[in-house]
Amino acid sequence: MQIGLVGLPMVGKTTLFNLVTNAGVDTSKYLTGKTETNESTAKVPDRRIDFLSRMYNPKKTTYAQIEFSDVPGLVQGASQGKGVGNQFLDSIRHSDLLIHVVRAFDDPDVIHVEDTIDPVRDVETIYMELLLADMDLVEKRIERIQSAKKVKKEVLAELDVLKKLLEALENEVPLHQLELSEQEQEMLQNYKFFSEKPLIIAVNTDEQQFKNGDYPRKKDLEELAREKNTRLIEICGQAEMEIAELPSEDRELFMEDLNLEELGIDRLTRTAYDYLGLISFFTVGEDEVKAWTIKKETSARKAAGKIHSDLERGFIRAEAINSDDLEQNGTMAKARENGLVRLEGKEYIVKDGDILNIRFNV
Ligand SMILES: Nc1nc2c(ncn2[C@@H]2O[C@H](COP(=O)(O)OP(=O)(O)OP(=O)(O)O)[C@@H](O)[C@H]2O)c(=O)[nH]1
Ligand SMILES: [Mg+2]
């Protein structure tokens, strides 16, 4: 899975990036005008994998992974070249999810491009800039088609759809709200529009706000998030990043002080999985304990295909047990005795936390 971090400049995007990936990229109190994208991979924390790894003591333990991209800040007017422009958005065009980092923290030493703290205004600004970036793409493509000497019939059909998109965007309608036929969607599948992507808002608070559970315009922001059918999470970016950089045995004390049971990466990945409708299943053995990410409602046969296409093609049965059941029983033998290891067919809908052993024949 790929996640792109977006937001105004100086709101804590790189801080959050460091918190989740431990990449240790430098941050600055001043606008830097940097135009490069930071990229790094984070493992998805999962206590079930921790447990399975202790139980099997495998040569290799593989958590699910998320690739994070951290881009420079977008400002109002970025689509017209303000700030450092918006060309860098190309590097997150293929993201499966956007996380919009918005500033709530109060710190006179860190400049705010709009001078005041107003997360609602800033969220609207970024939504608009993403919409304008889509508009730009649609306009350019329309121009290119219209200036071509000879145009194929399929491309003419595409032109009609693009005009429809342009009209929506001009009326500030994000593309995910547009009702398109399957055929139209197919024509557009290579474009990767921003206003079609799922988006989570991460509010970056200071320690005081975080402890009090309050920050400027919180109610309005929650309302806006509901309206836009998105999720809100609160992070305490600076402090959490500093804690994440400590050796694990030293973290607890600082986490307690912030009333934190988990660091941002846990909360973020859980919210993302839930919002995107994703679950995990596991494969276990002496060689490897591994987490696999699938959509909810995936059949055992399709899930097997994630591991290898041969397993999908030659699927016979899946031996399945939920990792919680295994943990409660202590050993696989005991769980088997208690009838918790099931034999499931190809239509079985895989549940979150299932351990699967696929029997196949090719
Ligand atoms: N007080 C406080 N400062 C923070 C917090 N999060 C980030 N900062 C500071 O804000 C400044 C900017 O943080 P970055 O993470 O670099 O922000 P950014 O969004 O990546 O900025 P650009 O890449 O320039 O767009 C740095 O000096 C951070 O230390 C926070 O929660 N509280
Ligand atoms: Mg940055």
Side-chain angles (χ1 to χ4, degrees):
M1 174 161 48
Q2 295 183 6
I3 294 184
L5 302 177
V6 291
L8 291 179
M10 311 299 285
V11 294
K13 296 181 297 299
T14 302
T15 303
L16 176 61
F17 176 78
N18 284 341
L19 160 64
V20 294
T21 65
N22 277 314
V25 173
D26 285 339
T27 61
S28 144
K29 280 189 165 43
Y30 310 100
L31 282 175
T32 59
K34 276 194 190 151
T35 52
E36 58 277 13
T37 299
N38 300 311
E39 289 180 336
S40 187
T41 304
K43 65 172 202 192
V44 177
D46 192 331
R47 48 157 291 279
R48 300 165 301 186
I49 283 282
D50 300 338
F51 148 71
L52 291 170
S53 181
R54 280 195 306 274
M55 180 170 213
Y56 284 89
N57 199 18
K59 294 193 192 92
K60 194 172 165 201
T61 299
T62 311
Y63 291 79
Q65 290 200 336
I66 298 180
E67 290 161 43
F68 281 91
S69 303
D70 163 39
V71 294
L74 268 178
V75 295
Q76 187 173 10
S79 59
Q80 269 94 51
K82 290 246 177 74
V84 290
N86 68 0
Q87 290 306 310
F88 56 79
L89 285 177
D90 283 338
S91 62
I92 53 168
R93 204 171 275 294
H94 288 270
S95 304
D96 305 295
L97 170 70
L98 298 177
I99 294 184
H100 175 186
V101 184
V102 64
R103 172 167 169 179
F105 68 83
D106 185 18
D107 185 343
D109 286 343
V110 179
I111 74 138
H112 193 305
V113 288
E114 301 286 352
D115 291 328
T116 52
I117 305 291
D118 184 344
V120 173
R121 171 201 60 204
D122 296 351
V123 165
E124 297 280 20
T125 300
I126 296 299
Y127 266 99
M128 189 49 95
E129 284 307 317
L130 292 173
L131 208 102
L132 289 169
D134 282 351
M135 202 149 108
D136 210 35
L137 186 66
V138 172
E139 276 172 342
K140 286 212 176 97
R141 178 69 185 151
I142 289 178
E143 269 167 39
R144 203 169 320 134
I145 296 174
Q146 284 176 336
S147 64
K149 291 218 175 62
K150 253 205 204 144
V151 181
K152 284 194 198 138
K153 222 162 96 198
E154 307 91 81
V155 179
L156 276 180
E158 188 185 319
L159 184 63
D160 285 339
V161 189
L162 288 168
K163 284 182 175 164
K164 201 161 144 181
L165 300 193
L166 187 60
E167 194 192 325
L169 291 166
E170 281 170 347
N171 290 310
E172 300 185 10
V173 175
L175 297 179
H176 69 85
Q177 280 180 13
L178 220 60
E179 286 190 18
L180 295 171
S181 70
E182 226 164 85
Q183 209 183 0
E184 289 173 321
Q185 280 171 15
E186 218 163 274
M187 276 185 242
L188 299 174
Q189 66 183 358
N190 291 325
Y191 282 99
K192 314 285 176 202
F193 294 113
F194 291 115
S195 64
E196 259 180 352
K197 286 188 196 301
L199 179 146
I200 291 174
I201 299 168
V203 188
N204 191 12
T205 61
D206 55 49
E207 292 176 41
Q208 209 51 49
Q209 294 166 339
F210 195 77
K211 283 187 197 169
N212 296 341
D214 200 18
Y215 52 82
R217 301 202 67 188
K218 179 171 173 164
K219 284 267 158 331
D220 298 333
L221 190 63
E222 284 172 345
E223 182 61 41
L224 183 69
R226 257 194 303 278
E227 227 171 74
K228 298 206 182 280
N229 197 19
T230 180
R231 302 279 174 92
L232 270 186
I233 72 160
E234 287 168 27
I235 56 164
C236 188
Q238 184 74 30
E240 289 192 75
M241 180 192 80
E242 283 163 10
I243 296 172
E245 283 168 353
L246 296 171
S248 49
E249 61 273 19
D250 295 341
R251 287 183 197 158
E252 206 147 305
L253 204 68
F254 292 93
M255 286 171 66
E256 257 170 41
D257 183 51
L258 278 175
N259 284 331
L260 268 181
E261 274 171 31
E262 304 169 314
L263 286 176
I265 178 77
D266 298 79
R267 308 197 304 282
L268 195 72
T269 50
R270 202 144 14 102
T271 307
Y273 269 57
D274 187 45
Y275 182 52
L276 298 176
L278 299 174
I279 57 171
S280 307
F281 77 89
F282 311 117
T283 49
V284 298
E286 281 168 16
D287 284 331
E288 189 177 18
V289 163
K290 182 166 179 166
W292 303 85
T293 304
I294 50 171
K295 283 240 169 223
K296 272 182 199 159
E297 303 299 317
T298 298
S299 69
R301 183 179 189 156
K302 274 267 169 289
K306 269 268 182 193
I307 304 170
H308 196 285
S309 56
D310 282 352
L311 271 61
E312 182 172 349
R313 203 154 44 89
F315 185 97
I316 302 170
R317 280 193 187 302
E319 215 181 45
I321 174 172
N322 200 276
S323 56
D324 291 339
D325 289 339
L326 178 58
E327 192 168 9
Q328 272 161 25
N329 281 264
T331 64
M332 194 61 102
K334 190 84 197 291
R336 210 178 281 279
E337 226 175 85
N338 289 331
L340 292 164
V341 181
R342 299 161 271 133
L343 270 185
E344 305 283 7
K346 59 179 192 276
E347 302 300 339
Y348 169 70
I349 299 298
V350 178
K351 307 286 180 312
D352 190 32
D354 274 352
I355 301 166
L356 298 183
N357 180 13
I358 311 292
R359 298 189 190 164
F360 70 108
N361 185 10
V362 283

